[in-house]
Amino acid sequence: MSELYLGIDMGGTLIKMAVVDSKANVVEETSVYTDIKASPKTVIKNIADIFKKFKNYDKVKSIGVGIAGDVDYKKGLVRFSPNLPKWKNIQLKKELEKLTKKTVYVDNDANTASIGAFWLDIKNKADNMVCVTLGTGVGGGIIINKKLYRGSSGTAGEIGHITVEAKGRKCNCGNSGCSETYIGVKHIIKEAVNILKTKKSKYIMKLAENNVKNITPKLLSQAALKGDIVANHVWNNVGEKLGILLASLINIFNPDNIVLCGGISNAGKLLMIPAKKEIKARAFKTSANACKIVISKYTSKLGVVGAAMLVKN
Amino acid sequence: MSELYLGIDMGGTLIKMAVVDSKANVVEETSVYTDIKASPKTVIKNIADIFKKFKNYDKVKSIGVGIAGDVDYKKGLVRFSPNLPKWKNIQLKKELEKLTKKTVYVDNDANTASIGAFWLDIKNKADNMVCVTLGTGVGGGIIINKKLYRGSSGTAGEIGHITVEAKGRKCNCGNSGCSETYIGVKHIIKEAVNILKTKKSKYIMKLAENNVKNITPKLLSQAALKGDIVANHVWNNVGEKLGILLASLINIFNPDNIVLCGGISNAGKLLMIPAKKEIKARAFKTSANACKIVISKYTSKLGVVGAAMLVKN
């Protein structure tokens, strides 16, 4: 059997663990609920106890961890993680290496998701790929010559923070008009709620049991697929803004592939029909024709598999 | 003496030629006026006759050519060059190799300028650099791990065609709101002319001898430096839009350096004061702090030196 690698995806709800082979096939996997109240040291000890029970653990050559937040990948230091409030300046690499005597790699979850998409969706076949993670935040990762591109201080790939409207909406990052302010989850819901103040929707309020607080992107997708005009309008706008972003990425990177992942990518054609229209109108033809856009089929596994494959980056 | 390389910059007005050493120092150079009426074959033969007279020609290991337009760098084919109307589907690499028996590389002038900036302005010291060429068109090149990044079909780096205003001005490329439509030469002049319809300027019309057709970016710089309000307003707007573009590039690439070159970059602080303000407001701090922005000191030599250094890319 080829070499094996262990991946850990430290989420705010679940911690996923998997052993994968050198082609990123999952050999064994498990997950546990995240204990956000426990000390990081306890959490690390507990997950090590769990993954050491993997049948193939002895064959594992290295361990990779993906975690949201500010991570120093060189030191394997978690400076801050929004999902895990107790995790501040945690020497994750050091701690795990002490417990396992194996080499440990740590990176942020947008990077591990991008590596995961490169292996699972693209099967390692592209030279250049851009991954766009569509969730509460809009992030991503850049694969160049089959390797993750990190930039000069490890902070490249802030794809959600390309300005698409010079005087647009204020973004959490400090900028205005970032694409995140149009296609991030909160903003999608906010837009729907705003439109509902003046326009009637046939399905949204029914599905939301007459409470706008119950509106989610998933609910908006359901309503749109039933023909709801408001919901379709919202997705059209989101798809349009996504298309503008993707056209810029195509013009900049001329990649073989762009992979879309994360919750919002589940909207599928609701997103892609308007997005592709913008790409056709906006991107350079040669580059647009060379780029295949893929919606990830593996969103829930990208993080854990990408973490395992950090060793190759 | 180390290896030597010959560079040729095929401009619409001048053809520049230079022999450089392995550190991109110019050893010998010359230039001739471009004969745009002559057949490409004659032009190629003539320049070969000229550069063969270089004292160091026998020591030249390879030849590189930079030319504006649509170039297939793999084949060394010039499909089309806007400055040289007779140049259509010219096998430049093949022709020159036949005449010289040396390996020839051909690429477009934005790529050669970027390589030139990497060697002349950055002295090969950055890992990751973005070059922004500011002229009639706004283009550029991306250096990653010290090498030019070309993308999957050789068309990466269309930096001037990142959308900065979703519903902005119509661009020649087909897109709307490209940064080129705000910071390209024609648009800068157009904006000045537009403002002059309603506002009086103290210096612009005097310098332009009362003819708006005489307005150039250089003239606008001169007027602005004298304190002209309209000219300063124009440069503020251009610098602001440039800053938005640079902030996006910083967020995407987290580069060690951005080099600005081309005619418009001569506006210097008129451009950089407003641009830096936008970068401070818009870019991620870690990435902005890691990135040194440089105005090229070698604009007129970037093309010819970068062409010579194509061999290293």
Side-chain angles (χ1 to χ4, degrees), chain A residues 229-272:
Chain A
I229 290 169
V230 172
N232 273 296
H233 180 74
V234 169
W235 283 118
N236 260 331
N237 283 351
V238 175
E240 198 183 291
K241 284 294 197 296
L242 176 64
I244 294 172
L245 173 64
L246 298 181
S248 288
L249 292 174
I250 287 170
N251 284 351
I252 301 167
F253 287 106
N254 175 213
D256 302 286
N257 290 96
I258 294 179
V259 181
L260 307 177
C261 63
I264 295 301
S265 71
N266 294 328
K269 64 177 183 179
L270 292 171
L271 210 54
M272 288 317 294

Side-chain angles (χ1 to χ4, degrees), chain A residues 8-59:
Chain A
I8 303 167
D9 180 11
M10 298 283 297
T13 310
L14 279 180
I15 299 173
K16 297 175 193 170
M17 291 163 262
V19 175
V20 311
D21 67 17
S22 64
K23 287 184 173 162
N25 299 303
V26 174
V27 176
E28 275 185 277
E29 61 186 321
T30 189
S31 63
V32 291
Y33 283 105
T34 311
D35 186 351
I36 57 165
K37 286 178 187 162
S39 75
K41 210 163 185 163
T42 308
V43 173
I44 295 167
K45 176 76 174 59
N46 287 347
I47 59 170
D49 288 343
I50 293 167
F51 67 61
K52 280 180 178 174
K53 289 179 193 145
F54 276 134
K55 266 187 296 180
N56 295 286
Y57 178 71
D58 288 343
K59 290 177 214 147

Side-chain angles (χ1 to χ4, degrees), chain A residues 124-154:
Chain A
N124 184 32
K125 279 180 181 153
D127 287 324
N128 308 306
M129 186 201 95
V130 181
C131 179
V132 185
T133 58
L134 298 164
T136 306
V138 175
I142 300 159
I143 304 281
I144 288 188
N145 292 329
K146 295 186 182 292
K147 297 263 177 285
L148 185 74
Y149 172 70
R150 302 172 189 274
S152 295
S153 55

Side-chain angles (χ1 to χ4, degrees), chain A residues 10 33 47 58 78 101 123 127 166 168 178 181 202 214 264:
Chain A
M10 298 283 297
Y33 283 105
I47 59 170
D58 288 343
V78 180
K101 318 287 175 217
K123 315 285 180 211
D127 287 324
C178 292
T181 67
K202 203 163 170 187
N214 292 329
I264 295 301

Side-chain angles (χ1 to χ4, degrees), chain B residues 102-162:
Chain B
K102 298 185 196 267
T103 308
V104 174
Y105 305 91
V106 181
D107 212 328
N108 78 59
D109 59 345
N111 284 348
T112 53
S114 304
I115 297 170
F118 179 67
W119 284 93
L120 294 178
D121 290 290
I122 307 303
K123 315 282 180 215
N124 183 31
K125 279 183 181 151
D127 287 324
N128 308 306
M129 183 202 99
V130 181
C131 178
V132 185
T133 57
L134 299 164
T136 306
V138 175
I142 302 159
I143 304 280
I144 288 189
N145 294 328
K146 297 188 183 290
K147 296 263 177 285
L148 184 74
Y149 171 71
R150 302 174 190 273
S152 294
S153 53
T155 48
E158 286 296 350
I159 283 164
H161 304 281
I162 299 176

Side-chain angles (χ1 to χ4, degrees), chain A residues 127-129 142-145 149-159 161-167 170 173-178 240-241 244 247-257 281-284 286-287 290, chain B residues 127-129 142-145 149-159 161-167 170 173-178 240-241 244 247-257 281-284 286-287 290:
Chain A
D127 287 324
N128 308 306
M129 186 201 95
I142 300 159
I143 304 281
I144 288 188
N145 292 329
Y149 172 70
R150 302 172 189 274
S152 295
S153 55
T155 47
E158 287 294 352
I159 283 165
H161 303 283
I162 298 176
T163 304
V164 293
E165 286 278 18
K167 295 193 160 61
K170 196 78 197 154
C173 78
N175 191 5
S176 302
C178 292
E240 198 183 291
K241 284 294 197 296
I244 294 172
S248 288
L249 292 174
I250 287 170
N251 284 351
I252 301 167
F253 287 106
N254 175 213
D256 302 286
N257 290 96
R282 290 174 183 270
F284 277 55
T286 316
S287 298
Chain B
D127 287 324
N128 308 306
M129 183 202 99
I142 302 159
I143 304 280
I144 288 189
N145 294 328
Y149 171 71
R150 302 174 190 273
S152 294
S153 53
T155 48
E158 286 296 350
I159 283 164
H161 304 281
I162 299 176
T163 303
V164 294
E165 287 278 18
K167 294 189 166 50
K170 196 75 197 157
C173 78
N175 192 6
S176 302
C178 291
E240 199 184 290
K241 285 294 195 300
I244 294 172
S248 289
L249 292 174
I250 288 169
N251 286 350
I252 301 168
F253 287 106
N254 175 210
D256 302 286
N257 290 97
R282 292 177 182 267
F284 278 55
T286 315
S287 298

Side-chain angles (χ1 to χ4, degrees), chain B residues 36 61 89 94 127 155 175 180 185 212 218 230 281 295:
Chain B
I36 56 165
K61 286 276 170 187
N89 294 312
K94 221 166 145 184
D127 287 324
T155 48
N175 192 6
E180 183 170 303
V185 169
V212 290
K218 198 178 166 184
V230 172
I295 293 185

